[in-house]
C-alpha cells in the first residue's frame, strides 16, 4: 500500500468518526424533537410531554426565590444530552442574546420557566444555548 493510499484510508476513517459523532448529536436532537411533536399533538405547552414539561426549581408563585430552570427530573437521558450538547445555561453571558429573544423560545407565564422548540425541559427566559437564533424583528 502506498503512502497516498494509506493517507486516504486514514482520512476516510477520520471522516467516518466525525460522521458518527455528528449522527449521535443529531439523534439526540431528533429524540428531543419527537418529544416536542408529541407535546404539540396533545395540545400541551412547548417543552415536551409530562416528563419533559417545563418546571421551575424554585421561585414564582410568591415564593420569593429566584427562578431556576435547571431541574431535568423526568427527562430522558437523550433529552439531557441535548441540553448539554447545546451548552444550555440558565443565565446567559451574552448581553444581546437570551432565550426570551430567541425565535425557538416558548414563553410561559411571568415568573415561570418556558420551553424551547429545540432544547427539552424547562427553559429560563434569561437562559441561553448555542442554538440561539434571533427572533425576527
Ligand atoms: Fe432554546 Fe437555546 Fe433559544 Fe434558549 S437560546 S430558546 S435554549 S434554542
Amino acid at each position: 500500500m502506498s503512502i497516498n493510499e494509506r493517507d486516504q484510508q486514514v482520512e476516510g476513517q477520520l471522516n467516518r468518526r466525525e460522521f458518527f459523532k455528528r449522527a449521535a448529536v443529531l439523534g439526540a436532537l431528533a429524540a428531543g424533537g419527537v418529544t416536542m411533536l408529541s407535546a404539540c399533538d396533545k395540545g400541551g405547552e412547548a417543552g415536551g410531554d409530562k416528563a419533559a414539561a417545563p418546571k421551575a426549581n424554585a421561585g414564582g408563585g410568591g415564593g420569593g426565590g429566584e427562578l431556576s430552570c435547571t431541574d431535568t427530573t423526568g427527562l430522558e437521558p437523550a433529552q439531557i444530552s441535548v441540553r448539554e450538547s447545546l451548552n444550555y445555561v440558565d443565565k446567559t453571558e451574552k448581553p444581546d442574546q437570551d432565550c426570551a429573544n430567541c425565535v425557538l423560545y416558548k414563553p410561559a407565564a411571568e415568573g415561570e420557566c418556558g420551553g424551547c422548540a429545540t432544547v427539552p425541559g424547562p427553559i429560563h427566559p434569561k437562559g441561553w444555548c448555542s442554538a440561539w437564533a434571533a427572533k425576527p424583528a
Side-chain angles (χ1 to χ4, degrees):
M1 178 185 293
S2 75
I3 293 177
N4 260 356
E5 287 171 331
R6 202 173 317 142
D7 281 353
Q8 285 176 345
Q9 192 178 15
V10 168
E11 200 171 291
Q13 287 170 345
L14 287 176
N15 287 340
R16 212 173 339 175
R17 203 172 298 150
E18 185 62 24
F19 169 80
F20 284 118
K21 203 165 112 188
R22 288 179 186 193
V25 171
L26 287 174
L29 286 171
V34 168
T35 302
M36 293 294 150
L37 289 174
S38 69
C40 291
D41 288 346
K42 294 172 195 160
E45 283 183 23
D49 56 17
K50 210 174 187 180
K55 61 181 169 187
N57 293 345
E66 197 172 305
L67 180 66
S68 172
C69 306
T70 57
D71 185 0
T72 56
T73 305
L75 292 183
E76 303 278 332
Q79 294 173 312
I80 294 171
S81 169
V82 171
R83 287 175 78 93
E84 290 170 354
S85 66
L86 292 175
N87 304 308
Y88 173 77
V89 289
D90 232 20
K91 193 169 187 172
T92 186
E93 291 181 2
K94 299 183 184 272
D96 56 339
Q97 296 180 10
D98 61 28
C99 293
N101 68 17
C102 174
V103 70
L104 300 166
Y105 184 63
K106 309 286 183 189
E110 183 72 28
E112 291 182 19
C113 299
C116 173
T118 300
V119 176
I123 301 294
H124 198 293
K126 294 291 174 201
W128 182 89
C129 86
S130 52
W132 182 89
K135 213 183 253 187

